Amino acid sequence: MSKILVTGGAGYIGSHTVVELQNEGFEVIIVDNLSNSKIEVLNGIEKITGVRPAFENIDCLDYMNLDRMFETRGNIDGIIHFAAYKAVGESVEKPLMYYRNNLVSLINLLQLMPIHKIKNIVFSSSCTVYGQPDQLPVTENAPIKPALSPYGNTKQICEEIIRDTAHAAPETYQAILLRYFNPIGAHPTALIGELPNGVPNNLLPFVAQTAIGIRPELKVFGNDYNTPDGSCIRDYINVVDLARAHVVALKRMMNNKMTENIETFNLGTGRGLSVLEIINDFERVNDVKVPYQIVGRREGDIEKVWADATLANEVLGWQAKETIDDTLGSAWAWEKHLAETEPKSV
Ligand code: NAD
Ligand code: WQD
């Protein structure tokens, strides 16, 4: 049985990926310092798959502890590196916290990989590296635009660090960079999902919290964009679809199918939806009201972006499958699950 280390595996995308890995017969070790997640997520994973993943409460900044973990666990076949801070606004206020956490965690792993004879790493990148693309849908060859936040910059720099490292030692490393568009939704069982941390910045958690009454109303940031209904357009991708892509990427590496030792893929649906479309669909699918008000634009927002996912379709054989209705249904089911199990977080 292949053994995979999942850093940040207790988090939103990580936990869904652990489930898909276990469903495909991988043995999983999670490394997470629980800075943005809770240990209870392991119960959810275990309920879904019947297997409790191994868990190590380690900070990826802690080189010595990571080293010890690799030594004790032995024979790890690949790493999926999710662990990072991800709040755009916070990164503007605390840039060094973001640069340290996101860059040093990656550097530690890359340094430890050859020592422990691990060749394969999958990295969580983001469509944020494209900024506002000149052409839509955006392909992997689109130019990387100057980052709009320190968070976005960490993703660009991490990509470069991996590229330089893999280039310098092609026999030692294989890397797949996955550029996620906007992950939303939760596992269909509603046993795992995205955990709220204060007031959500992202659209879907805010929509769901408004529908359930935690927030009085959603603010729609702008209706004067150059889009059909004036609100911004994004490529919202189901988190389970996204998780499955990681399993496919790992298998590609482990089966020596890569054509170069570093490959990059967009992970999106190829379909752009506006903020107002998301609100209307959420209301229709879940038969709830989402009170909202149009307000001014949010600084730094991209007008419209959606993926050309042809490369992932053709090379990885991966495609987003879940419908937007099912995805918005899963987000609502998860919100209701949270309402039953968590005290209200305001
Ligand atoms: P998340 O915050 O839910 O998960 C990240 C996990 O990493 C958390 O469990 C956190 O406790 C852990 N972590 C953070 N720093 C750590 C450290 N130094 N050592 C050990 N554990 C640490 O975030 P997510 O939404 O699941 O995102 C996962 C990855 O995907 C991140 O790298 C993020 O930047 C990237 N990404 C996310 C999105 C998105 O919209 N959610 C989009 C594109 C890319
Ligand atoms: C989506 C749309 C908002 C909240 C961010 C990061 C990006 C990434 C994903 C990681 C926008 C609108 C939102 C609200 C609103 N992650 N909105 N009212 O901005 O595409 O991307 O998260 O790499 O790096 O920048 O996602 O969910 O914040 O916003 O009108 O209360 O919803 O203006 O058009 P975004 P989002």
Side-chain angles (χ1 to χ4, degrees), residues 321-346:
K321 288 194 295 211
E322 305 296 333
T323 65
I324 189 68
D325 285 14
D326 286 348
T327 304
L328 295 176
S330 73
W332 181 233
W334 171 246
E335 190 60 41
K336 287 191 288 185
H337 171 86
L338 280 177
E340 284 159 18
T341 53
E342 301 262 328
K344 278 191 181 182
S345 57
V346 200

Side-chain angles (χ1 to χ4, degrees), residues 17 20 24 46 58 86 88 90 102 112 177 196 291 297:
T17 303
E20 297 307 314
E24 292 283 320
E46 187 177 3
I58 295 177
K86 63 163 181 177
V88 175
E90 187 183 51
N102 295 6
L112 285 163
L177 313 180
R297 294 181 176 197

Side-chain angles (χ1 to χ4, degrees), residues 224-298:
D224 57 353
Y225 285 99
N226 182 21
T227 60
D229 65 21
S231 64
C232 292
I233 295 179
R234 297 287 184 274
D235 187 333
Y236 295 94
I237 172 156
N238 184 292
V239 67
V240 176
D241 273 332
L242 192 66
R244 288 182 186 130
H246 294 75
V247 181
V248 179
L250 260 182
K251 285 184 176 170
R252 178 172 172 79
M253 299 174 126
M254 293 170 60
N255 296 332
N256 297 316
K257 292 279 166 47
M258 290 177 71
T259 45
E260 291 171 57
N261 72 325
I262 173 148
E263 295 178 341
T264 306
F265 298 100
N266 282 344
L267 296 181
T269 65
R271 167 210 59 203
L273 289 174
S274 74
V275 177
L276 293 174
E277 283 174 316
I278 287 285
I279 297 171
N280 289 335
D281 288 357
F282 191 94
E283 291 188 325
R284 174 182 52 78
V285 169
N286 299 315
D287 197 18
V288 288
K289 289 307 284 177
V290 180
Y292 72 87
Q293 192 201 141
I294 311 274
V295 299
R297 294 181 176 197
R298 181 172 71 176

Side-chain angles (χ1 to χ4, degrees), residues 7-15 31-38 56-62 81-87 101-102 105 123-128 151 154-155 178-184 193-195 202 242 246:
T7 74
Y12 174 43
I13 308 170
S15 57
V31 160
D32 201 303
N33 65 356
L34 302 176
S35 55
N36 197 34
S37 50
K38 295 199 176 133
E56 299 269 8
N57 188 338
I58 295 177
D59 192 323
C60 292
L61 296 177
D62 185 345
H81 182 43
F82 291 106
Y85 293 148
K86 63 163 181 177
N101 196 43
N102 295 6
S105 292
F123 176 70
S124 298
S125 190
S126 167
C127 71
T128 192
Y151 165 74
T154 69
K155 289 296 166 191
L178 298 177
R179 293 181 180 154
Y180 314 154
F181 281 65
N182 288 58
I184 60 166
E194 190 170 11
L195 277 187
N202 292 120
L242 192 66
H246 294 75

